[in-house]
Amino acid sequence: MNIIIFGGSFDPIHIGHLNMARKAAKDYDAVVYLVPSPIGIWKAQSVSKNDKLNMLKLAIEDYPELKIDEFELNSGKDTNNYSIDTVEYFIKKFPNDKIYFLIGEDQAMNFHRWIKAKEISELVQIIYYPRSGYSVPLENAKTFHMKFIKGKTFDMSSTDIRDLSKLNLPPKVLNYIIEHELYFVPRVKAMYTEKRYEHVLSVAKLACEIARSNGLLNEPLNYGRYFVAGYLHDIAKSMSREEQIELIKYNYPDYDNLPIFSYHQFAGSIIAEQQFGINDQEILDSIRFHATGRSEMSPMERIVYASDKLDPLRGYDSSKLIALMKIDYAKGFEEVLKANKRYLEANGKMTMNPLTKECFDFYLK
């Protein structure tokens, strides 16, 4: 049997880790052991060993070729172990098997600086996976007998997830983070009232459900993208009107004549970009136009707009419109607009702002 050691902080594990491990398992017909390292209390936003282990278990439960070894977590150390210790442990555990040591290209690039690097390379076969922006020196590749795994690269990091700038992780792991209020959750919750937080969480989950039922989550990164758009769509609601107006005048002077109720959507997109590092334009546009709509909205924009309007926590029966959205989001969106237009007409609110009029005129021809 072939055994691959794959160590890391996995704080948290993300899609890049999974892609790397599964490609290595396939190429070498091997079982990959993820070996999480403990994180010292000095590291900002790190989680407990128990939470880390639970997230790893959720991430790999559908992949029998991936397993977890708790050697480093149970070493009694609060900081990272030396890789040579882990390698020697695996050699004793699997004395009759071929053992590989999987690292990223960024690590391979600096492998010569590792403790007992030469000894590690003589005990196990070093294999490395490409990472954008890095290149392994020829001398390292030769000296340590490294082999290259060809595979798709992902521009992501656990830091991005902890900061909420990119949620490139399995849905089960994201749900665990939300449920146990890890990483970015306390910061986001502090920016909402309790009732508003329940609303945005409900909208985020509904947006993901609608996107999934429409086949829009085939790309593994999309679940997190739809979630972030829903999760942050009302992030400026807690700001004062004066603060919102100031942001609009400075960043969106063309929209400062719109009704005040719409200001939070523009302010929210600014907060998402400047305070959370969101640079995905479709996410920002979904926040920016979730209250008014506009013409030529992207799939995500329409789904977030509808999810906000149809949130079951609003207290009315929106189940039929939600079902329509799940069958065909484009047709369902038009029905949501019709329902919204009827509501505005019935309540004497048909003095529409230019963006909503533009939206109605474009989709309700």
Side-chain angles (χ1 to χ4, degrees):
M1 181 169 66
N2 293 329
I3 301 295
I4 297 176
I5 305 168
F6 182 24
S9 62
F10 303 117
D11 191 27
I13 186 170
H14 55 63
I15 290 170
H17 293 135
L18 289 176
N19 181 71
M20 185 173 169
R22 296 185 66 206
K23 187 63 166 61
K26 181 180 179 181
D27 285 4
Y28 286 90
D29 189 24
V31 173
V32 176
Y33 280 86
L34 283 75
V35 186
S37 61
I39 300 295
I41 57 174
W42 47 267
K43 184 170 182 178
Q45 295 182 293
S46 64
V47 298
S48 70
K49 296 176 183 179
N50 186 57
D51 282 327
K52 182 185 295 189
L53 199 56
N54 287 339
M55 288 188 284
L56 278 169
K57 289 176 180 177
L58 288 171
I60 71 168
E61 64 182 7
D62 295 326
Y63 308 117
E65 71 274 27
L66 306 184
K67 298 183 182 300
I68 300 168
D69 191 288
E70 300 178 40
F71 168 71
E72 294 190 9
L73 286 179
N74 296 330
S75 67
K77 299 179 181 179
D78 289 328
T79 55
N80 294 347
N81 295 258
Y82 290 125
S83 295
I84 184 65
D85 297 330
T86 304
V87 166
E88 290 176 343
Y89 159 78
F90 269 87
I91 289 174
K92 291 179 182 178
K93 184 175 181 178
F94 300 101
N96 301 315
D97 298 308
K98 174 68 175 178
I99 299 179
Y100 299 82
F101 193 85
L102 175 62
I103 57 178
E105 193 165 15
D106 56 326
Q107 297 168 310
M109 184 174 156
N110 295 297
F111 191 74
H112 57 283
R113 296 176 179 156
W114 286 32
I115 299 295
K116 297 188 177 181
K118 185 64 176 174
E119 187 175 341
I120 292 172
S121 70
E122 291 170 349
L123 291 172
V124 293
Q125 172 65 60
I126 307 296
I127 54 178
Y128 68 93
Y129 194 89
R131 186 167 183 184
S132 180
Y134 294 90
S135 179
V136 177
L138 184 60
E139 184 178 353
N140 267 17
K142 286 185 175 181
T143 301
F144 303 111
H145 313 291
M146 296 178 173
K147 291 185 178 180
F148 176 70
I149 299 175
K150 187 177 182 180
K152 183 178 180 180
T153 61
F154 290 91
D155 180 20
M156 64 183 68
S157 71
S158 295
T159 301
D160 291 336
I161 294 168
R162 294 194 297 269
D163 293 342
L164 191 61
S165 60
K166 292 179 182 176
L167 291 186
N168 301 326
L169 71 175
K172 293 177 184 177
V173 177
L174 174 54
N175 292 337
Y176 184 93
I177 290 170
I178 296 298
E179 181 181 349
H180 292 82
E181 300 190 3
L182 307 177
Y183 303 123
F184 55 81
V185 176
R187 179 186 176 196
V188 174
K189 283 193 73 174
M191 299 177 75
Y192 286 119
T193 63
E194 182 177 351
K195 184 176 181 180
R196 181 67 57 183
Y197 184 77
E198 292 175 357
H199 165 67
V200 298
L201 193 54
S202 179
V203 170
K205 291 178 178 179
L206 179 56
C208 289
E209 290 173 13
I210 293 171
R212 177 185 283 114
S213 66
N214 279 270
L216 297 175
L217 299 186
N218 294 332
E219 167 59 48
L221 309 183
N222 276 343
Y223 185 93
R225 295 178 64 243
Y226 276 87
F227 187 92
V228 169
Y231 195 53
L232 296 183
H233 80 276
D234 271 351
I235 198 66
K237 276 281 191 175
S238 60
M239 296 178 68
S240 68
R241 292 297 189 194
E242 290 73 22
E243 290 174 314
Q244 292 181 20
I245 291 171
E246 192 64 27
L247 279 177
I248 302 305
K249 285 184 176 179
Y250 183 78
N251 293 277
Y252 296 104
D254 292 343
Y255 294 139
D256 66 357
N257 61 338
L258 293 178
I260 291 178
F261 86 87
S262 67
Y263 280 16
H264 76 281
Q265 65 181 8
F266 301 107
S269 69
I270 296 167
I271 292 173
E273 183 174 14
Q274 296 182 355
Q275 296 190 29
F276 291 95
I278 308 296
N279 57 19
D280 185 319
Q281 285 305 309
E282 190 174 19
I283 293 176
L284 293 175
D285 284 342
S286 297
I287 297 171
R288 190 176 291 127
F289 300 106
H290 78 267
T292 60
R294 63 167 177 170
S295 63
E296 301 183 87
M297 298 170 74
S298 72
M300 183 185 291
E301 287 180 70
R302 281 176 275 175
I303 287 173
V304 171
Y305 176 100
S307 297
D308 179 37
K309 297 290 190 292
L310 303 179
D311 175 20
L313 296 182
R314 286 191 179 276
Y316 62 89
D317 185 5
S318 57
S319 58
K320 290 183 179 179
L321 287 173
I322 289 175
L324 285 174
M325 287 292 298
K326 289 183 177 181
I327 294 170
D328 184 330
Y329 79 88
K331 292 182 180 178
F333 176 71
E334 292 177 6
E335 294 304 314
V336 171
L337 289 183
K338 290 176 184 177
N340 190 31
K341 188 175 182 180
R342 288 194 296 270
Y343 168 81
L344 293 175
E345 290 172 341
N347 289 274
K349 298 181 179 181
M350 276 303 289
T351 305
M352 290 183 292
N353 63 76
L355 284 175
T356 300
K357 183 177 187 306
E358 175 185 305
C359 182
F360 284 175
D361 290 346
F362 186 84
Y363 289 104
L364 302 181
K365 298 175 182 177

